Amino acid sequence: MEKQLAVDEHTTLSLPTISNAIEIFSLVNQYRNDLREFLPWVDETHHVDDTREYIKFCLSQYDNGSALVYLLYYQNKIAGTLSFNTLDKSNDIAKIGYWLASCYQGQGLMTKACAKMIEYGFNGLHLNRIEIHCAINNIKSQNIPIRLNFKKEGELKQGIKLANNQYVDGVIYGLVKEDFNLKLTSPH
Ligand SMILES: CC(C)(COP(=O)(O)OP(=O)(O)OC[C@H]1O[C@@H](n2cnc3c(N)ncnc32)[C@H](O)[C@@H]1OP(=O)(O)O)[C@@H](O)C(=O)NCCC(=O)NCCS
């Protein structure tokens, strides 16, 4: 699997290294009030050592091919992450996950990075199907698969766990290789 993918001249997806822990932790810590609403691990991230452990875990997943977690760099600064959180090689299916620090939101960065990741998933990793699961009330997250022409395939009762063990309904968006094109659709 590639260690780096160029999205455009300002934006890169890159495998984390342990040396990134301080920058990632600082970003999560600065924006934890915004991020914790939909990312339950934020409340479990108290210290830079927690981020170091997470990076080690990501690298072990890279080594055994079970997941692919990239840092999203914008103008040489870490802005968030974009991942194939699960890679199901029996069925050639991956599930995407992402977050962006609030100061990088609203510019189309994640949609553009996802388009690159999806193209790599289908053409580089030979996936056949990519899924994005979102909480039913996470409209900003759902707008990403909508822009990228995923189909809304169904709902998962209490399928997403948020902070404080709160289970909320999830929405599954799916895209198969034969339907993939790079044209964006407006969610509005
Ligand atoms: C989900 C998340 C990454 C979406 O961030 P985002 O900034 O809305 O997504 P993008 O980077 O694709 O930007 C889209 C926004 O930029 C705007 N935009 C500007 N230029 C754009 C362009 N060229 N292309 C697409 N969108 C563009 C869009 O209109 C949209 O803004 P709007 O929501 O006001 O309509 C972010 O809300 C987040 O990190 N949330 C917390 C974590 C989370 O929920 N993760 C997902 C769990 S399932």
Side-chain angles (χ1 to χ4, degrees), residues 62-150:
Y62 176 83
D63 288 340
N64 66 30
S66 61
L68 178 58
V69 177
Y70 285 131
L71 302 176
L72 193 161
Y73 279 88
Y74 180 64
Q75 294 182 334
N76 299 317
K77 289 191 175 151
I78 297 170
T81 69
L82 172 57
S83 318
F84 287 135
N85 280 334
T86 55
L87 281 167
D88 168 1
K89 288 185 184 150
S90 309
N91 297 298
D92 297 327
I93 298 174
K95 194 160 101 180
I96 283 186
Y98 38 63
W99 64 268
L100 263 185
S102 319
C103 59
Y104 293 103
Q105 294 182 20
Q107 310 171 50
L109 256 183
M110 192 54 82
T111 302
K112 194 166 29 179
C114 280
K116 181 68 197 182
M117 187 83 165
I118 291 162
E119 184 200 10
Y120 175 59
F122 286 138
N123 297 330
L125 300 179
H126 306 294
L127 296 170
N128 184 54
R129 173 179 164 82
I130 297 177
E131 297 177 0
I132 301 182
H133 296 206
C134 309
I136 203 153
N137 59 338
N138 195 346
I139 303 304
K140 283 188 174 190
S141 181
Q142 290 186 49
N143 281 344
I144 292 176
I146 292 170
R147 279 187 209 100
L148 294 167
N149 304 307
F150 280 59

Coordinates of all heavy atoms in Angstrom, one line a residue, residues 62-150:
Y62 N -1.3 -1.2 9.1 CA -0.7 -1.0 7.8 C 0.1 -2.2 7.4 O 0.0 -2.8 6.3 CB 0.2 0.3 7.7 CG 0.9 0.5 6.4 CD1 0.3 1.1 5.4 CD2 2.2 0.1 6.3 CE1 0.9 1.2 4.1 CE2 2.9 0.2 5.1 CZ 2.2 0.8 4.0 OH 2.9 1.0 2.8
D63 N 0.9 -2.7 8.4 CA 1.8 -3.8 8.2 C 1.0 -5.1 7.9 O 1.4 -5.9 7.0 CB 2.7 -4.1 9.4 CG 3.8 -3.0 9.5 OD1 4.1 -2.3 8.4 OD2 4.4 -2.8 10.6
N64 N -0.1 -5.3 8.6 CA -0.8 -6.5 8.3 C -2.0 -6.3 7.3 O -2.7 -7.3 7.0 CB -1.3 -7.2 9.6 CG -2.4 -6.3 10.3 OD1 -3.1 -5.6 9.7 ND2 -2.4 -6.5 11.6
G65 N -2.1 -5.1 6.7 CA -3.0 -4.9 5.7 C -4.5 -4.8 6.1 O -5.4 -4.9 5.2
S66 N -4.8 -4.6 7.4 CA -6.2 -4.6 7.8 C -6.8 -3.2 7.8 O -8.0 -3.1 7.9 CB -6.2 -5.2 9.3 OG -5.5 -4.4 10.2
A67 N -6.0 -2.2 7.7 CA -6.6 -0.8 7.6 C -5.5 0.1 7.0 O -4.3 -0.3 6.9 CB -7.0 -0.3 9.0
L68 N -5.9 1.3 6.6 CA -4.9 2.2 6.0 C -5.3 3.6 6.5 O -6.3 4.2 6.0 CB -5.0 2.2 4.5 CG -4.1 3.1 3.7 CD1 -2.6 2.9 4.0 CD2 -4.3 2.9 2.2
V69 N -4.6 4.1 7.5 CA -4.9 5.4 8.1 C -3.8 6.5 7.5 O -2.6 6.3 7.7 CB -4.8 5.4 9.6 CG1 -5.0 6.7 10.2 CG2 -5.8 4.3 10.1
Y70 N -4.4 7.5 6.9 CA -3.5 8.6 6.4 C -3.7 9.9 7.2 O -4.9 10.2 7.6 CB -3.8 8.9 5.0 CG -3.3 8.0 3.9 CD1 -4.2 7.5 3.0 CD2 -2.0 7.5 3.9 CE1 -3.8 6.6 2.0 CE2 -1.5 6.7 2.9 CZ -2.4 6.2 1.9 OH -2.0 5.4 1.0
L71 N -2.7 10.6 7.4 CA -2.8 12.0 7.9 C -3.1 12.8 6.7 O -2.5 12.6 5.6 CB -1.5 12.5 8.5 CG -1.0 11.7 9.7 CD1 0.3 12.2 10.2 CD2 -2.0 11.7 10.8
L72 N -4.0 13.8 6.8 CA -4.3 14.7 5.7 C -3.5 16.0 6.0 O -3.7 16.7 7.0 CB -5.8 15.0 5.7 CG -6.3 15.7 4.4 CD1 -7.8 15.5 4.3 CD2 -6.0 17.2 4.4
Y73 N -2.5 16.3 5.1 CA -1.7 17.5 5.3 C -2.3 18.6 4.3 O -2.5 18.3 3.1 CB -0.3 17.2 4.8 CG 0.6 16.6 5.9 CD1 0.6 15.2 6.0 CD2 1.4 17.3 6.8 CE1 1.4 14.6 7.0 CE2 2.1 16.7 7.8 CZ 2.1 15.4 7.9 OH 2.9 14.8 8.8
Y74 N -2.5 19.8 4.8 CA -2.8 20.9 4.0 C -1.8 22.0 4.2 O -1.5 22.4 5.4 CB -4.2 21.4 4.3 CG -4.6 22.6 3.5 CD1 -4.8 22.4 2.1 CD2 -4.9 23.8 4.1 CE1 -5.2 23.5 1.3 CE2 -5.2 24.9 3.3 CZ -5.4 24.7 1.9 OH -5.8 25.8 1.1
Q75 N -1.1 22.4 3.2 CA 0.0 23.4 3.3 C 1.0 23.0 4.4 O 1.3 23.8 5.3 CB -0.6 24.8 3.5 CG -1.4 25.2 2.3 CD -2.0 26.6 2.4 OE1 -2.2 27.1 3.5 NE2 -2.2 27.2 1.3
N76 N 1.4 21.7 4.3 CA 2.4 21.2 5.2 C 2.0 21.1 6.7 O 2.9 20.9 7.5 CB 3.7 21.9 5.1 CG 4.3 21.8 3.6 OD1 4.2 20.7 3.1 ND2 4.7 22.9 3.1
K77 N 0.7 21.3 7.0 CA 0.3 21.1 8.4 C -0.7 20.0 8.4 O -1.6 19.9 7.5 CB -0.3 22.4 8.9 CG 0.7 23.5 9.1 CD 0.1 24.6 9.9 CE 1.2 25.6 10.3 NZ 0.7 26.9 10.4
I78 N -0.8 19.3 9.5 CA -1.8 18.2 9.7 C -3.1 18.9 9.9 O -3.3 19.7 10.8 CB -1.4 17.3 10.8 CG1 -0.1 16.5 10.5 CG2 -2.5 16.2 11.1 CD1 0.5 15.8 11.7
A79 N -4.1 18.5 9.1 CA -5.5 19.1 9.2 C -6.5 18.1 9.8 O -7.5 18.4 10.2 CB -5.9 19.6 7.8
G80 N -6.1 16.8 9.7 CA -7.1 15.7 10.1 C -6.6 14.4 9.6 O -5.4 14.2 9.3
T81 N -7.5 13.4 9.5 CA -7.1 12.1 9.0 C -8.2 11.6 8.1 O -9.3 12.0 8.1 CB -6.9 11.0 10.2 OG1 -8.2 10.7 10.7 CG2 -6.0 11.5 11.2
L82 N -7.7 10.7 7.2 CA -8.6 10.0 6.3 C -8.2 8.6 6.2 O -7.0 8.3 5.9 CB -8.6 10.7 4.9 CG -9.3 10.0 3.8 CD1 -10.8 9.8 4.1 CD2 -9.2 10.9 2.5
S83 N -9.1 7.6 6.3 CA -8.7 6.2 6.5 C -9.6 5.3 5.7 O -10.8 5.6 5.6 CB -8.8 5.8 8.0 OG -8.3 6.8 8.8
F84 N -9.1 4.1 5.4 CA -9.9 2.9 5.2 C -9.8 2.2 6.5 O -8.8 1.6 6.8 CB -9.3 2.1 4.0 CG -9.5 2.6 2.7 CD1 -8.5 2.6 1.7 CD2 -10.7 3.1 2.3 CE1 -8.7 3.1 0.4 CE2 -10.9 3.6 1.0 CZ -9.9 3.6 0.1
N85 N -10.8 2.4 7.3 CA -10.8 1.9 8.7 C -10.9 0.4 8.7 O -10.4 -0.2 9.7 CB -12.0 2.5 9.5 CG -11.7 3.9 10.0 OD1 -10.6 4.2 10.1 ND2 -12.8 4.6 10.2
T86 N -11.5 -0.2 7.7 CA -11.4 -1.6 7.6 C -11.2 -1.9 6.2 O -11.7 -1.2 5.3 CB -12.8 -2.3 8.1 OG1 -13.8 -1.7 7.3 CG2 -13.1 -2.1 9.5
L87 N -10.4 -3.0 5.9 CA -10.1 -3.5 4.6 C -10.5 -4.9 4.6 O -9.8 -5.7 5.2 CB -8.7 -3.3 4.2 CG -8.2 -1.9 3.8 CD1 -6.7 -1.8 3.8 CD2 -8.8 -1.5 2.4
D88 N -11.7 -5.2 4.0 CA -12.2 -6.6 3.9 C -11.7 -7.2 2.6 O -12.3 -7.0 1.6 CB -13.7 -6.6 4.1 CG -14.4 -7.9 3.8 OD1 -13.7 -8.9 3.5 OD2 -15.6 -7.9 3.8
K89 N -10.6 -8.0 2.7 CA -10.0 -8.5 1.5 C -10.8 -9.7 0.9 O -10.6 -10.0 -0.3 CB -8.6 -8.9 1.8 CG -7.7 -7.7 2.0 CD -6.2 -8.1 2.1 CE -5.4 -6.9 2.4 NZ -4.3 -7.2 3.2
S90 N -11.6 -10.3 1.7 CA -12.4 -11.5 1.2 C -13.4 -10.9 0.2 O -13.7 -11.6 -0.8 CB -13.2 -12.2 2.3 OG -12.3 -12.5 3.3
N91 N -13.9 -9.7 0.5 CA -15.0 -9.2 -0.4 C -14.6 -7.9 -1.2 O -15.4 -7.3 -1.9 CB -16.2 -8.9 0.4 CG -16.8 -10.2 1.1 OD1 -17.2 -11.1 0.4 ND2 -16.8 -10.2 2.4
D92 N -13.3 -7.5 -1.0 CA -12.8 -6.3 -1.6 C -13.6 -5.1 -1.3 O -14.0 -4.3 -2.1 CB -12.7 -6.5 -3.1 CG -11.7 -7.6 -3.5 OD1 -10.7 -7.7 -2.8 OD2 -11.9 -8.3 -4.5
I93 N -13.9 -4.9 0.0 CA -14.7 -3.8 0.6 C -13.9 -3.0 1.6 O -13.2 -3.6 2.4 CB -16.0 -4.3 1.3 CG1 -16.9 -5.1 0.3 CG2 -16.7 -3.2 1.9 CD1 -18.1 -5.7 0.9
A94 N -13.9 -1.7 1.5 CA -13.3 -0.9 2.6 C -14.4 0.1 3.1 O -15.3 0.5 2.4 CB -12.1 -0.1 2.0
K95 N -14.1 0.5 4.4 CA -15.0 1.5 5.0 C -14.2 2.7 5.3 O -13.1 2.6 6.0 CB -15.6 0.8 6.3 CG -16.7 1.6 6.9 CD -17.5 0.6 7.8 CE -17.1 0.9 9.3 NZ -17.9 0.1 10.2
I96 N -14.7 3.8 4.9 CA -13.9 5.1 5.0 C -14.3 5.8 6.4 O -15.4 5.8 6.8 CB -14.2 6.1 3.9 CG1 -13.5 5.6 2.6 CG2 -13.9 7.5 4.2 CD1 -13.6 6.6 1.4
G97 N -13.3 6.4 7.0 CA -13.5 7.3 8.2 C -12.7 8.5 8.0 O -11.6 8.5 7.4
Y98 N -13.2 9.6 8.6 CA -12.4 10.9 8.5 C -12.8 11.9 9.6 O -13.8 11.8 10.2 CB -12.7 11.6 7.1 CG -14.1 11.5 6.6 CD1 -15.2 12.1 7.3 CD2 -14.4 10.8 5.4 CE1 -16.5 12.0 6.8 CE2 -15.8 10.7 5.0 CZ -16.8 11.3 5.7 OH -18.1 11.2 5.2
W99 N -11.8 12.8 9.8 CA -12.1 14.0 10.6 C -11.2 15.1 10.1 O -10.1 14.9 9.6 CB -12.0 13.8 12.1 CG -10.6 13.4 12.6 CD1 -10.1 12.1 12.8 CD2 -9.6 14.3 13.0 NE1 -8.9 12.2 13.2 CE2 -8.5 13.5 13.4 CE3 -9.5 15.7 13.1 CZ2 -7.3 14.0 13.9 CZ3 -8.3 16.2 13.5 CH2 -7.2 15.4 13.9
L100 N -11.7 16.3 10.3 CA -10.9 17.5 10.0 C -11.0 18.5 11.2 O -12.1 18.7 11.7 CB -11.5 18.3 8.8 CG -11.1 18.1 7.4 CD1 -11.9 19.1 6.5 CD2 -9.6 18.3 7.2
A101 N -9.9 19.1 11.6 CA -10.0 20.1 12.6 C -10.9 21.3 12.1 O -10.9 21.6 10.9 CB -8.6 20.7 12.9
S102 N -11.7 21.9 13.0 CA -12.7 22.9 12.6 C -12.1 24.0 11.7 O -12.8 24.4 10.7 CB -13.3 23.5 13.8 OG -13.5 22.5 14.8
C103 N -10.9 24.4 11.9 CA -10.3 25.5 11.1 C -10.1 25.2 9.7 O -9.8 26.0 8.9 CB -9.1 26.1 11.8 SG -7.8 24.8 12.0
Y104 N -10.1 23.8 9.4 CA -9.9 23.4 8.0 C -11.2 23.0 7.3 O -11.2 22.6 6.1 CB -8.9 22.2 7.9 CG -7.5 22.6 8.4 CD1 -7.0 22.3 9.6 CD2 -6.7 23.3 7.5 CE1 -5.8 22.6 10.0 CE2 -5.4 23.7 7.9 CZ -5.0 23.3 9.2 OH -3.7 23.7 9.6
Q105 N -12.3 23.1 8.0 CA -13.6 22.7 7.4 C -14.2 23.8 6.5 O -13.7 24.9 6.6 CB -14.6 22.3 8.5 CG -14.2 21.1 9.3 CD -15.1 20.7 10.4 OE1 -16.3 21.1 10.3 NE2 -14.7 19.9 11.4
G106 N -15.1 23.4 5.7 CA -15.8 24.4 4.9 C -15.1 24.8 3.6 O -15.6 25.7 2.9
Q107 N -14.1 24.1 3.2 CA -13.3 24.4 2.0 C -13.3 23.3 0.9 O -12.6 23.4 -0.1 CB -11.9 24.7 2.3 CG -11.6 25.7 3.5 CD -10.2 25.7 3.9 OE1 -9.3 25.9 3.0 NE2 -9.9 25.6 5.1
G108 N -14.0 22.2 1.2 CA -14.0 21.1 0.3 C -12.8 20.2 0.4 O -12.6 19.3 -0.5
L109 N -12.0 20.4 1.4 CA -10.7 19.7 1.5 C -11.0 18.2 1.7 O -10.3 17.3 1.0 CB -10.0 20.1 2.8 CG -8.8 21.0 2.8 CD1 -8.2 21.2 4.2 CD2 -7.8 20.4 1.9
M110 N -11.9 17.8 2.5 CA -12.1 16.3 2.8 C -12.8 15.7 1.6 O -12.4 14.5 1.2 CB -13.0 16.1 4.0 CG -13.0 14.7 4.5 SD -11.3 14.0 4.7 CE -10.9 14.6 6.3
T111 N -13.7 16.4 0.9 CA -14.3 15.8 -0.3 C -13.3 15.5 -1.3 O -13.2 14.4 -1.9 CB -15.4 16.8 -0.8 OG1 -16.4 17.0 0.2 CG2 -16.1 16.2 -2.1
K112 N -12.4 16.5 -1.5 CA -11.3 16.3 -2.5 C -10.4 15.1 -2.2 O -10.0 14.3 -3.0 CB -10.5 17.6 -2.6 CG -9.6 17.8 -3.8 CD -9.1 19.2 -4.0 CE -9.0 20.0 -2.8 NZ -8.5 21.4 -3.0
A113 N -10.0 15.1 -0.9 CA -9.1 14.0 -0.4 C -9.8 12.6 -0.5 O -9.2 11.7 -0.9 CB -8.7 14.3 1.0
C114 N -11.1 12.6 -0.2 CA -11.8 11.3 -0.4 C -11.9 10.9 -1.8 O -11.8 9.7 -2.1 CB -13.3 11.5 0.2 SG -13.4 11.4 1.9
A115 N -12.1 11.8 -2.7 CA -12.1 11.4 -4.2 C -10.8 10.7 -4.5 O -10.8 9.7 -5.2 CB -12.3 12.7 -5.0
K116 N -9.6 11.3 -4.0 CA -8.3 10.7 -4.3 C -8.2 9.3 -3.7 O -7.8 8.3 -4.3 CB -7.2 11.6 -3.8 CG -5.8 11.1 -4.0 CD -5.5 11.1 -5.5 CE -4.3 10.2 -5.8 NZ -4.0 10.3 -7.2
M117 N -8.7 9.2 -2.4 CA -8.6 7.9 -1.7 C -9.4 6.9 -2.4 O -9.0 5.7 -2.5 CB -9.1 8.2 -0.3 CG -9.0 7.1 0.7 SD -7.3 7.1 1.4 CE -7.6 6.0 2.8
I118 N -10.6 7.3 -2.8 CA -11.5 6.3 -3.5 C -10.9 5.8 -4.8 O -10.9 4.6 -5.1 CB -12.9 7.0 -3.7 CG1 -13.6 7.2 -2.3 CG2 -13.8 6.2 -4.6 CD1 -14.7 8.2 -2.3
E119 N -10.4 6.8 -5.6 CA -9.7 6.4 -6.8 C -8.6 5.4 -6.6 O -8.4 4.4 -7.2 CB -9.2 7.7 -7.5 CG -8.6 7.4 -8.9 CD -7.6 8.5 -9.4 OE1 -7.3 9.4 -8.6 OE2 -7.3 8.4 -10.5
Y120 N -7.8 5.7 -5.5 CA -6.7 4.8 -5.1 C -7.3 3.4 -4.7 O -6.8 2.3 -5.0 CB -5.8 5.4 -4.0 CG -4.8 4.4 -3.5 CD1 -3.8 3.9 -4.4 CD2 -4.7 4.0 -2.2 CE1 -2.9 3.0 -4.0 CE2 -3.8 3.2 -1.7 CZ -2.8 2.6 -2.6 OH -1.9 1.8 -2.2
G121 N -8.4 3.5 -3.9 CA -9.0 2.2 -3.4 C -9.4 1.3 -4.6 O -9.1 0.1 -4.6
F122 N -10.1 1.9 -5.6 CA -10.6 1.1 -6.7 C -9.5 0.7 -7.7 O -9.4 -0.4 -8.1 CB -11.7 1.9 -7.5 CG -13.0 2.0 -6.8 CD1 -13.7 3.2 -6.8 CD2 -13.5 0.9 -6.1 CE1 -15.0 3.3 -6.1 CE2 -14.8 1.0 -5.4 CZ -15.5 2.2 -5.4
N123 N -8.6 1.7 -8.0 CA -7.6 1.4 -9.0 C -6.3 0.9 -8.5 O -5.6 0.1 -9.2 CB -7.4 2.7 -9.9 CG -8.7 3.1 -10.6 OD1 -9.5 2.2 -10.9 ND2 -8.9 4.4 -10.8
G124 N -5.9 1.3 -7.3 CA -4.6 0.8 -6.7 C -4.8 -0.4 -5.9 O -4.0 -1.3 -5.9
L125 N -5.8 -0.4 -5.0 CA -6.0 -1.6 -4.1 C -7.0 -2.6 -4.6 O -7.2 -3.6 -4.0 CB -6.5 -1.0 -2.7 CG -5.5 -0.1 -2.0 CD1 -6.1 0.4 -0.7 CD2 -4.2 -0.7 -1.8
H126 N -7.6 -2.3 -5.8 CA -8.5 -3.2 -6.5 C -9.7 -3.6 -5.6 O -10.2 -4.7 -5.6 CB -7.8 -4.5 -6.9 CG -6.6 -4.2 -7.8 ND1 -6.7 -3.6 -9.0 CD2 -5.3 -4.2 -7.5 CE1 -5.5 -3.3 -9.5 NE2 -4.6 -3.7 -8.6
L127 N -10.2 -2.6 -4.9 CA -11.4 -2.7 -4.1 C -12.6 -2.8 -5.1 O -12.5 -2.2 -6.2 CB -11.6 -1.5 -3.2 CG -10.6 -1.4 -2.0 CD1 -10.8 -0.1 -1.3 CD2 -10.7 -2.6 -1.1
N128 N -13.7 -3.4 -4.7 CA -14.9 -3.3 -5.6 C -16.0 -2.5 -5.0 O -16.9 -2.0 -5.7 CB -15.4 -4.8 -5.7 CG -16.6 -4.8 -6.7 OD1 -16.5 -4.3 -7.8 ND2 -17.7 -5.3 -6.2
R129 N -15.9 -2.2 -3.6 CA -17.0 -1.5 -3.0 C -16.4 -0.7 -1.8 O -15.5 -1.2 -1.1 CB -18.0 -2.5 -2.4 CG -19.1 -2.0 -1.6 CD -20.0 -3.1 -1.1 NE -20.8 -2.6 0.0 CZ -21.9 -1.8 -0.2 NH1 -22.3 -1.6 -1.4 NH2 -22.5 -1.3 0.8
I130 N -16.9 0.6 -1.7 CA -16.4 1.4 -0.6 C -17.7 1.9 0.2 O -18.7 2.3 -0.5 CB -15.6 2.6 -1.1 CG1 -14.3 2.0 -1.7 CG2 -15.2 3.6 0.0 CD1 -13.3 3.0 -2.4
E131 N -17.6 1.9 1.5 CA -18.7 2.3 2.3 C -18.3 3.5 3.2 O -17.2 3.6 3.6 CB -19.2 1.2 3.2 CG -19.7 0.0 2.5 CD -20.1 -1.2 3.5 OE1 -19.9 -1.0 4.7 OE2 -20.5 -2.2 2.9
I132 N -19.3 4.3 3.5 CA -19.2 5.4 4.5 C -20.4 5.3 5.4 O -21.5 5.3 4.9 CB -19.0 6.8 3.9 CG1 -17.9 6.9 2.9 CG2 -18.9 7.8 5.0 CD1 -17.6 8.2 2.3
H133 N -20.1 5.1 6.7 CA -21.2 5.0 7.7 C -21.2 6.3 8.5 O -20.2 6.6 9.1 CB -21.0 3.8 8.7 CG -21.0 2.5 8.0 ND1 -21.3 1.3 8.7 CD2 -20.8 2.1 6.7 CE1 -21.3 0.3 7.9 NE2 -20.9 0.7 6.7
C134 N -22.4 6.9 8.6 CA -22.4 8.2 9.3 C -23.6 8.1 10.3 O -24.6 7.5 10.1 CB -22.8 9.3 8.3 SG -21.8 9.5 6.9
A135 N -23.4 8.9 11.4 CA -24.6 9.0 12.3 C -25.7 9.8 11.6 O -25.4 10.7 10.7 CB -24.1 9.8 13.6
I136 N -26.9 9.5 11.9 CA -28.0 10.0 11.1 C -28.1 11.5 11.2 O -28.6 12.2 10.3 CB -29.3 9.3 11.6 CG1 -30.4 9.4 10.5 CG2 -29.8 9.8 12.9 CD1 -31.4 8.2 10.5
N137 N -27.6 12.1 12.3 CA -27.6 13.5 12.5 C -26.3 14.2 12.1 O -26.1 15.4 12.3 CB -28.0 13.9 13.9 CG -27.0 13.3 14.9 OD1 -26.3 12.4 14.6 ND2 -27.0 13.9 16.1
N138 N -25.4 13.5 11.5 CA -24.1 14.1 11.1 C -24.2 14.5 9.6 O -23.7 13.8 8.7 CB -23.0 13.1 11.3 CG -21.6 13.7 11.2 OD1 -21.5 14.9 10.8 ND2 -20.6 13.0 11.7
I139 N -24.8 15.6 9.4 CA -25.1 16.1 8.0 C -23.9 16.4 7.3 O -23.7 16.0 6.1 CB -26.1 17.3 8.1 CG1 -27.4 16.9 8.8 CG2 -26.4 17.8 6.7 CD1 -28.2 15.7 8.3
K140 N -22.9 17.0 7.9 CA -21.7 17.4 7.2 C -20.9 16.1 6.7 O -20.4 16.1 5.6 CB -20.7 18.2 8.1 CG -21.2 19.6 8.3 CD -20.1 20.4 9.1 CE -20.4 21.8 9.2 NZ -19.3 22.6 9.7
S141 N -21.0 15.1 7.5 CA -20.3 13.9 7.1 C -21.1 13.2 6.0 O -20.5 12.8 5.0 CB -20.2 12.9 8.3 OG -19.6 11.7 7.9
Q142 N -22.4 13.2 6.1 CA -23.2 12.6 5.0 C -23.1 13.4 3.7 O -23.2 12.8 2.6 CB -24.7 12.5 5.4 CG -24.9 11.6 6.5 CD -26.4 11.4 6.8 OE1 -27.2 11.2 5.9 NE2 -26.8 11.5 8.0
N143 N -22.8 14.7 3.8 CA -22.7 15.4 2.5 C -21.5 15.0 1.7 O -21.5 15.2 0.5 CB -22.6 16.9 2.8 CG -24.0 17.5 3.1 OD1 -25.0 16.9 2.8 ND2 -24.0 18.7 3.7
I144 N -20.5 14.4 2.3 CA -19.3 14.0 1.6 C -19.7 12.8 0.6 O -19.5 12.9 -0.6 CB -18.1 13.7 2.5 CG1 -17.7 15.0 3.2 CG2 -17.0 12.9 1.8 CD1 -16.6 14.8 4.2
P145 N -20.2 11.7 1.1 CA -20.6 10.6 0.1 C -21.7 11.1 -0.9 O -21.7 10.7 -2.0 CB -21.1 9.5 1.0 CG -21.4 10.1 2.4 CD -20.4 11.2 2.5
I146 N -22.5 12.0 -0.4 CA -23.6 12.5 -1.4 C -22.8 13.3 -2.6 O -23.1 13.0 -3.7 CB -24.6 13.4 -0.7 CG1 -25.4 12.6 0.3 CG2 -25.5 14.2 -1.7 CD1 -26.3 13.4 1.2
R147 N -21.9 14.1 -2.2 CA -21.1 14.9 -3.3 C -20.4 13.9 -4.2 O -20.2 14.2 -5.4 CB -20.1 15.8 -2.7 CG -20.6 17.1 -2.2 CD -19.5 18.0 -1.8 NE -20.0 18.9 -0.7 CZ -19.8 18.7 0.6 NH1 -19.0 17.8 1.0 NH2 -20.4 19.5 1.4
L148 N -20.0 12.8 -3.6 CA -19.2 11.8 -4.4 C -20.0 10.7 -5.0 O -19.5 9.7 -5.5 CB -18.1 11.2 -3.5 CG -17.0 12.3 -3.0 CD1 -16.2 11.7 -1.9 CD2 -16.1 12.7 -4.2
N149 N -21.3 11.0 -5.1 CA -22.2 10.1 -5.8 C -22.4 8.7 -5.2 O -22.6 7.7 -6.0 CB -21.8 9.9 -7.3 CG -21.7 11.3 -8.0 OD1 -22.7 12.0 -7.9 ND2 -20.6 11.6 -8.6
F150 N -22.1 8.5 -3.9 CA -22.5 7.3 -3.3 C -24.0 7.2 -3.2 O -24.7 8.2 -3.2 CB -22.0 7.3 -1.8 CG -20.5 7.0 -1.6 CD1 -19.5 7.8 -2.2 CD2 -20.1 5.9 -0.8 CE1 -18.2 7.5 -2.0 CE2 -18.7 5.7 -0.6 CZ -17.8 6.5 -1.2

